[in-house]
Amino acid sequence: MRLFEAVILENTQLAPSIFNMRVKVPNTFRAVPGQFVNIYLNRPDMLLPRPISICGLEEDTLRLVYQIAGKGTGYMAGLGRWELLRIAGPLGNGFNIASSGEGMSGAGLELLIGGGIGAAPLLFLARRLKPAMVILGFRSASSVILAGEFLSLGWETVVSTDDGSVGYHGRVTDAARDLTGGVKTSAIYVCGPRIMLKKAAEYAAERSIPCHVAMEERMGCGIGACLCCPAPVIGNGSRTYKKVCKDGPVFDADSIAWEELS
Amino acid sequence: MNLSVNIAGAILKNPVMPASGTFGSGREYAEFVDINRLGAVVTKGVSITPWLGNPPRRIAETASGVLNSVGLQNAGVEAFLRDDLPFLKQFDTRVIVNICGRSIDEYIAVAEVLSGSGADMLELNISCPNVGEGGLSFGADAGMVYRVTTAVKKRSGQPLIVKLSPNVTSISEMAIAAENAGADAISLINTVLGMKIDIRRRAFALPRKVGGLSGPAIKPIAVRMVYEASRAVNIPIIGMGGIMTGEDAAEMLMAGASAVAVGTANLSKLTATADVLDELILFMDENGFNDIRELTILS
């Protein structure tokens, strides 16, 4: 049963409005990078579960790095050690890494691109891939998270900021162009704001690089029943909506009808 | 303790079922809930051809409520009969298929295709606020309620439940129109038309601007309307709107419903349908009820 009560082991602030939570999960819990869990707040005024992507899983400790984006995540940030959380998961499909894992050698560079809190699921992915290059975009130096952890896993870690206060000054996709333009790239994995996904998809399409994007959408049930989280996709020549929670959240970038997403 | 109820000649082992649209066709929930325990499963809306649904965003949270604008996305009745109905028929429960259309002809067409199938009952969705044609435009006018119900009832092979909208001046008038047209039962309430504005983005929370409000925020409206409808008609009523617990279900039954549907609670709690049933049994036990029908009679 993918539904359980979990004890909070840690819930501490990592950066302004970013929190690092560790919870104890059943030892049968398994997950792949890109999957998420639903957190149930058990509050009559906040009815919907909060989907949070998995940042790490070590034995029976699940790590969630999340951003306060509204009332629900604000409430989560106030929870303390030893409090119980109702969790469903893992949910969603996760990144398809079965065909890769070559890292820098042979097939080409595997590139991770993350924006803000989007770095969290990529850190989980980084543990399952051979170290290569990760480019992380943040607003400014004070909002940089997890970069040191990618480094210590052996990843060449590039930080870019919107204001240039640290690292590369500009978009992550511009950084990718400058730094990897001449390098054969075998796959790109992206998680971040929608505009970043879109730019990364364009970058990958120009170079015919397979690109996997983790989509975000407001969700209801989280298990594929309520159809509240549509991803516009093109399949067999026709436009349909897939479910971000169940068919995704990871999609091949070239299957998404980007023009529909503002 | 007797929990079984008779809805239009079909015996339901208990009065608890999911509300259409919150439970898919049961497949996703089967991991969390024993479908055999439910009195019935009400499917998502099924139309004669596939419907795309509305663009995102489709959902927004409000104070003790949820606004949705799904727009009845579904793969069409052919896919439903191939993929979903056989799945549901494995379980010892009644199958109620919610049907939708953009015109009377489309409602008739889908009812005809389903008439020879294993569906136990049809629920006529003339109350969805999230589609342009059909939906609420049919359910907000007593004359239209009568016309579409008559037309579908004539061609449907199964008992027909008519799902009513709360977005009307007189729910009794709509209930009477459905009963006069031959409806075997009515279900209410569908969602309440609502709106949310994201003041930071200075934009409507939903691109269609309006959505259907559900959850505990609308329960008092639902209880009042079920009560009024039960006074107006003799056919059984399936009551819904903000039922989160067994006590909420008991309240809806006491308002005059013969059965209840659990909707938004499925999103808040994956086991909500089974939990509501357990809590309802506990309530009856603690309060000296031996037969579920004793609750309905109170009104």
Side-chain angles (χ1 to χ4, degrees), chain B residues 238-274:
Chain B
I238 302 169
M240 68 199 74
I243 294 178
M244 305 295 283
T245 66
E247 294 191 355
D248 294 337
E251 184 179 1
M252 198 65 84
L253 293 166
M254 287 185 190
S258 296
V260 294
V262 176
T264 299
N266 290 305
L267 276 50
S268 298
K269 205 178 179 197
L270 296 170
T271 55
T273 44

mmCIF file of all heavy atoms in Angstrom, chain B residues 238-274:
data_model
loop_
_atom_site.group_PDB
_atom_site.id
_atom_site.type_symbol
_atom_site.label_atom_id
_atom_site.label_comp_id
_atom_site.label_asym_id
_atom_site.label_seq_id
_atom_site.Cartn_x
_atom_site.Cartn_y
_atom_site.Cartn_z
ATOM 1 N N ILE B 238 -30.064 10.644 -4.212
ATOM 2 C CA ILE B 238 -28.678 10.391 -3.808
ATOM 3 C C ILE B 238 -28.096 11.754 -3.459
ATOM 4 O O ILE B 238 -28.017 12.645 -4.305
ATOM 5 C CB ILE B 238 -27.887 9.708 -4.943
ATOM 6 C CG1 ILE B 238 -28.569 8.392 -5.343
ATOM 7 C CG2 ILE B 238 -26.433 9.462 -4.514
ATOM 8 C CD1 ILE B 238 -28.024 7.767 -6.622
ATOM 9 N N GLY B 239 -27.722 11.924 -2.204
ATOM 10 C CA GLY B 239 -27.277 13.226 -1.716
ATOM 11 C C GLY B 239 -25.765 13.338 -1.719
ATOM 12 O O GLY B 239 -25.058 12.395 -1.369
ATOM 13 N N MET B 240 -25.282 14.484 -2.125
ATOM 14 C CA MET B 240 -23.833 14.705 -2.137
ATOM 15 C C MET B 240 -23.548 16.195 -2.061
ATOM 16 O O MET B 240 -24.406 17.031 -2.344
ATOM 17 C CB MET B 240 -23.213 14.118 -3.392
ATOM 18 C CG MET B 240 -23.606 14.847 -4.669
ATOM 19 S SD MET B 240 -23.335 13.862 -6.139
ATOM 20 C CE MET B 240 -24.664 12.686 -6.024
ATOM 21 N N GLY B 241 -22.310 16.501 -1.695
ATOM 22 C CA GLY B 241 -21.875 17.884 -1.540
ATOM 23 C C GLY B 241 -21.178 18.023 -0.202
ATOM 24 O O GLY B 241 -21.830 18.165 0.822
ATOM 25 N N GLY B 242 -19.866 17.914 -0.203
ATOM 26 C CA GLY B 242 -19.079 18.152 1.008
ATOM 27 C C GLY B 242 -19.093 17.056 2.040
ATOM 28 O O GLY B 242 -18.739 17.285 3.195
ATOM 29 N N ILE B 243 -19.489 15.842 1.656
ATOM 30 C CA ILE B 243 -19.462 14.744 2.635
ATOM 31 C C ILE B 243 -18.020 14.281 2.847
ATOM 32 O O ILE B 243 -17.371 13.801 1.926
ATOM 33 C CB ILE B 243 -20.359 13.571 2.187
ATOM 34 C CG1 ILE B 243 -21.819 14.015 2.180
ATOM 35 C CG2 ILE B 243 -20.154 12.365 3.106
ATOM 36 C CD1 ILE B 243 -22.789 12.953 1.699
ATOM 37 N N MET B 244 -17.539 14.477 4.065
ATOM 38 C CA MET B 244 -16.157 14.107 4.397
ATOM 39 C C MET B 244 -16.112 12.948 5.397
ATOM 40 O O MET B 244 -15.098 12.272 5.507
ATOM 41 C CB MET B 244 -15.417 15.298 5.010
ATOM 42 C CG MET B 244 -15.421 16.569 4.176
ATOM 43 S SD MET B 244 -14.539 16.412 2.597
ATOM 44 C CE MET B 244 -12.835 16.500 3.166
ATOM 45 N N THR B 245 -17.191 12.789 6.168
ATOM 46 C CA THR B 245 -17.193 11.803 7.259
ATOM 47 C C THR B 245 -18.518 11.040 7.275
ATOM 48 O O THR B 245 -19.491 11.427 6.621
ATOM 49 C CB THR B 245 -17.055 12.514 8.628
ATOM 50 O OG1 THR B 245 -18.238 13.306 8.838
ATOM 51 C CG2 THR B 245 -15.835 13.412 8.686
ATOM 52 N N GLY B 246 -18.560 10.007 8.101
ATOM 53 C CA GLY B 246 -19.787 9.250 8.284
ATOM 54 C C GLY B 246 -20.893 10.102 8.890
ATOM 55 O O GLY B 246 -22.072 9.925 8.587
ATOM 56 N N GLU B 247 -20.510 11.041 9.738
ATOM 57 C CA GLU B 247 -21.515 11.926 10.342
ATOM 58 C C GLU B 247 -22.119 12.853 9.292
ATOM 59 O O GLU B 247 -23.321 13.147 9.333
ATOM 60 C CB GLU B 247 -20.892 12.716 11.501
ATOM 61 C CG GLU B 247 -20.492 11.784 12.643
ATOM 62 C CD GLU B 247 -20.125 12.498 13.929
ATOM 63 O OE1 GLU B 247 -20.084 13.748 13.929
ATOM 64 O OE2 GLU B 247 -19.878 11.793 14.920
ATOM 65 N N ASP B 248 -21.286 13.305 8.364
ATOM 66 C CA ASP B 248 -21.817 14.103 7.243
ATOM 67 C C ASP B 248 -22.814 13.274 6.437
ATOM 68 O O ASP B 248 -23.859 13.775 6.000
ATOM 69 C CB ASP B 248 -20.692 14.548 6.300
ATOM 70 C CG ASP B 248 -19.709 15.518 6.950
ATOM 71 O OD1 ASP B 248 -20.087 16.192 7.927
ATOM 72 O OD2 ASP B 248 -18.565 15.598 6.465
ATOM 73 N N ALA B 249 -22.475 11.999 6.227
ATOM 74 C CA ALA B 249 -23.362 11.106 5.467
ATOM 75 C C ALA B 249 -24.687 10.938 6.207
ATOM 76 O O ALA B 249 -25.764 10.988 5.599
ATOM 77 C CB ALA B 249 -22.682 9.753 5.252
ATOM 78 N N ALA B 250 -24.617 10.762 7.521
ATOM 79 C CA ALA B 250 -25.831 10.606 8.331
ATOM 80 C C ALA B 250 -26.702 11.858 8.208
ATOM 81 O O ALA B 250 -27.929 11.769 8.085
ATOM 82 C CB ALA B 250 -25.457 10.353 9.789
ATOM 83 N N GLU B 251 -26.059 13.012 8.212
ATOM 84 C CA GLU B 251 -26.811 14.273 8.092
ATOM 85 C C GLU B 251 -27.538 14.336 6.746
ATOM 86 O O GLU B 251 -28.702 14.733 6.667
ATOM 87 C CB GLU B 251 -25.847 15.454 8.246
ATOM 88 C CG GLU B 251 -26.542 16.816 8.233
ATOM 89 C CD GLU B 251 -25.582 17.980 8.410
ATOM 90 O OE1 GLU B 251 -24.349 17.751 8.537
ATOM 91 O OE2 GLU B 251 -26.059 19.133 8.395
ATOM 92 N N MET B 252 -26.832 13.925 5.685
ATOM 93 C CA MET B 252 -27.432 13.962 4.349
ATOM 94 C C MET B 252 -28.610 12.992 4.260
ATOM 95 O O MET B 252 -29.632 13.302 3.637
ATOM 96 C CB MET B 252 -26.354 13.614 3.313
ATOM 97 C CG MET B 252 -26.690 14.014 1.908
ATOM 98 S SD MET B 252 -26.822 15.810 1.706
ATOM 99 C CE MET B 252 -25.101 16.251 1.455
ATOM 100 N N LEU B 253 -28.479 11.834 4.887
ATOM 101 C CA LEU B 253 -29.576 10.859 4.896
ATOM 102 C C LEU B 253 -30.760 11.429 5.671
ATOM 103 O O LEU B 253 -31.912 11.316 5.249
ATOM 104 C CB LEU B 253 -29.105 9.532 5.499
ATOM 105 C CG LEU B 253 -28.050 8.768 4.673
ATOM 106 C CD1 LEU B 253 -27.418 7.658 5.506
ATOM 107 C CD2 LEU B 253 -28.649 8.182 3.398
ATOM 108 N N MET B 254 -30.477 12.076 6.776
ATOM 109 C CA MET B 254 -31.558 12.658 7.586
ATOM 110 C C MET B 254 -32.246 13.817 6.859
ATOM 111 O O MET B 254 -33.417 14.113 7.121
ATOM 112 C CB MET B 254 -31.013 13.138 8.935
ATOM 113 C CG MET B 254 -30.682 12.001 9.882
ATOM 114 S SD MET B 254 -30.193 12.631 11.499
ATOM 115 C CE MET B 254 -29.591 11.138 12.276
ATOM 116 N N ALA B 255 -31.514 14.447 5.938
ATOM 117 C CA ALA B 255 -32.117 15.521 5.137
ATOM 118 C C ALA B 255 -33.102 14.966 4.116
ATOM 119 O O ALA B 255 -33.871 15.724 3.526
ATOM 120 C CB ALA B 255 -31.031 16.326 4.441
ATOM 121 N N GLY B 256 -33.032 13.646 3.884
ATOM 122 C CA GLY B 256 -33.979 13.045 2.960
ATOM 123 C C GLY B 256 -33.352 12.198 1.862
ATOM 124 O O GLY B 256 -34.064 11.666 1.011
ATOM 125 N N ALA B 257 -32.029 12.065 1.886
ATOM 126 C CA ALA B 257 -31.381 11.237 0.866
ATOM 127 C C ALA B 257 -31.521 9.758 1.222
ATOM 128 O O ALA B 257 -31.581 9.404 2.402
ATOM 129 C CB ALA B 257 -29.904 11.605 0.754
ATOM 130 N N SER B 258 -31.582 8.920 0.190
ATOM 131 C CA SER B 258 -31.608 7.476 0.420
ATOM 132 C C SER B 258 -30.217 6.869 0.308
ATOM 133 O O SER B 258 -29.967 5.756 0.756
ATOM 134 C CB SER B 258 -32.509 6.798 -0.618
ATOM 135 O OG SER B 258 -33.836 7.239 -0.459
ATOM 136 N N ALA B 259 -29.318 7.596 -0.341
ATOM 137 C CA ALA B 259 -27.937 7.159 -0.476
ATOM 138 C C ALA B 259 -27.077 8.418 -0.546
ATOM 139 O O ALA B 259 -27.607 9.523 -0.711
ATOM 140 C CB ALA B 259 -27.750 6.308 -1.733
ATOM 141 N N VAL B 260 -25.756 8.236 -0.424
ATOM 142 C CA VAL B 260 -24.871 9.400 -0.432
ATOM 143 C C VAL B 260 -23.677 9.152 -1.347
ATOM 144 O O VAL B 260 -23.271 8.011 -1.556
ATOM 145 C CB VAL B 260 -24.333 9.728 0.974
ATOM 146 C CG1 VAL B 260 -25.456 10.176 1.896
ATOM 147 C CG2 VAL B 260 -23.565 8.563 1.574
ATOM 148 N N ALA B 261 -23.127 10.238 -1.881
ATOM 149 C CA ALA B 261 -21.913 10.124 -2.686
ATOM 150 C C ALA B 261 -20.821 10.981 -2.068
ATOM 151 O O ALA B 261 -21.075 12.093 -1.600
ATOM 152 C CB ALA B 261 -22.181 10.541 -4.125
ATOM 153 N N VAL B 262 -19.612 10.422 -2.089
ATOM 154 C CA VAL B 262 -18.432 11.064 -1.517
ATOM 155 C C VAL B 262 -17.581 11.583 -2.675
ATOM 156 O O VAL B 262 -17.189 10.805 -3.543
ATOM 157 C CB VAL B 262 -17.628 10.039 -0.680
ATOM 158 C CG1 VAL B 262 -16.348 10.658 -0.144
ATOM 159 C CG2 VAL B 262 -18.486 9.487 0.453
ATOM 160 N N GLY B 263 -17.336 12.883 -2.716
ATOM 161 C CA GLY B 263 -16.630 13.460 -3.858
ATOM 162 C C GLY B 263 -15.254 13.969 -3.517
ATOM 163 O O GLY B 263 -14.276 13.216 -3.484
ATOM 164 N N THR B 264 -15.174 15.254 -3.217
ATOM 165 C CA THR B 264 -13.892 15.908 -2.956
ATOM 166 C C THR B 264 -13.081 15.213 -1.875
ATOM 167 O O THR B 264 -11.850 15.243 -1.901
ATOM 168 C CB THR B 264 -14.161 17.380 -2.602
ATOM 169 O OG1 THR B 264 -14.794 17.981 -3.730
ATOM 170 C CG2 THR B 264 -12.881 18.139 -2.303
ATOM 171 N N ALA B 265 -13.770 14.560 -0.928
ATOM 172 C CA ALA B 265 -13.061 13.847 0.135
ATOM 173 C C ALA B 265 -12.094 12.804 -0.427
ATOM 174 O O ALA B 265 -11.067 12.509 0.191
ATOM 175 C CB ALA B 265 -14.061 13.179 1.078
ATOM 176 N N ASN B 266 -12.399 12.270 -1.624
ATOM 177 C CA ASN B 266 -11.483 11.294 -2.233
ATOM 178 C C ASN B 266 -10.116 11.890 -2.535
ATOM 179 O O ASN B 266 -9.111 11.179 -2.587
ATOM 180 C CB ASN B 266 -12.081 10.749 -3.534
ATOM 181 C CG ASN B 266 -13.268 9.855 -3.293
ATOM 182 O OD1 ASN B 266 -13.176 8.874 -2.552
ATOM 183 N ND2 ASN B 266 -14.401 10.201 -3.885
ATOM 184 N N LEU B 267 -10.103 13.207 -2.788
ATOM 185 C CA LEU B 267 -8.839 13.875 -3.064
ATOM 186 C C LEU B 267 -8.060 14.123 -1.770
ATOM 187 O O LEU B 267 -6.841 14.025 -1.735
ATOM 188 C CB LEU B 267 -9.094 15.216 -3.778
ATOM 189 C CG LEU B 267 -9.288 15.196 -5.297
ATOM 190 C CD1 LEU B 267 -10.301 14.175 -5.754
ATOM 191 C CD2 LEU B 267 -9.668 16.564 -5.807
ATOM 192 N N SER B 268 -8.811 14.439 -0.702
ATOM 193 C CA SER B 268 -8.186 14.725 0.583
ATOM 194 C C SER B 268 -7.691 13.479 1.281
ATOM 195 O O SER B 268 -6.802 13.526 2.117
ATOM 196 C CB SER B 268 -9.197 15.394 1.519
ATOM 197 O OG SER B 268 -9.604 16.609 0.987
ATOM 198 N N LYS B 269 -8.337 12.357 0.943
ATOM 199 C CA LYS B 269 -8.068 11.116 1.655
ATOM 200 C C LYS B 269 -8.404 9.984 0.705
ATOM 201 O O LYS B 269 -9.567 9.806 0.345
ATOM 202 C CB LYS B 269 -8.995 11.082 2.877
ATOM 203 C CG LYS B 269 -8.528 10.267 4.019
ATOM 204 C CD LYS B 269 -9.554 10.399 5.142
ATOM 205 C CE LYS B 269 -9.156 9.578 6.333
ATOM 206 N NZ LYS B 269 -10.302 9.383 7.230
ATOM 207 N N LEU B 270 -7.421 9.233 0.283
ATOM 208 C CA LEU B 270 -7.645 8.220 -0.749
ATOM 209 C C LEU B 270 -8.617 7.135 -0.287
ATOM 210 O O LEU B 270 -9.246 6.469 -1.097
ATOM 211 C CB LEU B 270 -6.312 7.600 -1.179
ATOM 212 C CG LEU B 270 -5.334 8.594 -1.842
ATOM 213 C CD1 LEU B 270 -3.965 7.963 -2.016
ATOM 214 C CD2 LEU B 270 -5.876 9.070 -3.182
ATOM 215 N N THR B 271 -8.747 6.956 1.018
ATOM 216 C CA THR B 271 -9.628 5.913 1.559
ATOM 217 C C THR B 271 -10.989 6.473 1.970
ATOM 218 O O THR B 271 -11.748 5.812 2.691
ATOM 219 C CB THR B 271 -8.977 5.256 2.794
ATOM 220 O OG1 THR B 271 -8.655 6.294 3.743
ATOM 221 C CG2 THR B 271 -7.704 4.514 2.432
ATOM 222 N N ALA B 272 -11.329 7.676 1.516
ATOM 223 C CA ALA B 272 -12.513 8.377 2.029
ATOM 224 C C ALA B 272 -13.814 7.579 1.894
ATOM 225 O O ALA B 272 -14.623 7.560 2.830
ATOM 226 C CB ALA B 272 -12.660 9.729 1.333
ATOM 227 N N THR B 273 -14.034 6.924 0.755
ATOM 228 C CA THR B 273 -15.311 6.214 0.577
ATOM 229 C C THR B 273 -15.487 5.128 1.641
ATOM 230 O O THR B 273 -16.524 5.063 2.311
ATOM 231 C CB THR B 273 -15.407 5.575 -0.824
ATOM 232 O OG1 THR B 273 -14.171 4.942 -1.133
ATOM 233 C CG2 THR B 273 -15.735 6.610 -1.882
ATOM 234 N N ALA B 274 -14.465 4.311 1.811
ATOM 235 C CA ALA B 274 -14.544 3.225 2.797
ATOM 236 C C ALA B 274 -14.605 3.788 4.214
ATOM 237 O O ALA B 274 -15.318 3.254 5.074
ATOM 238 C CB ALA B 274 -13.347 2.288 2.642
#
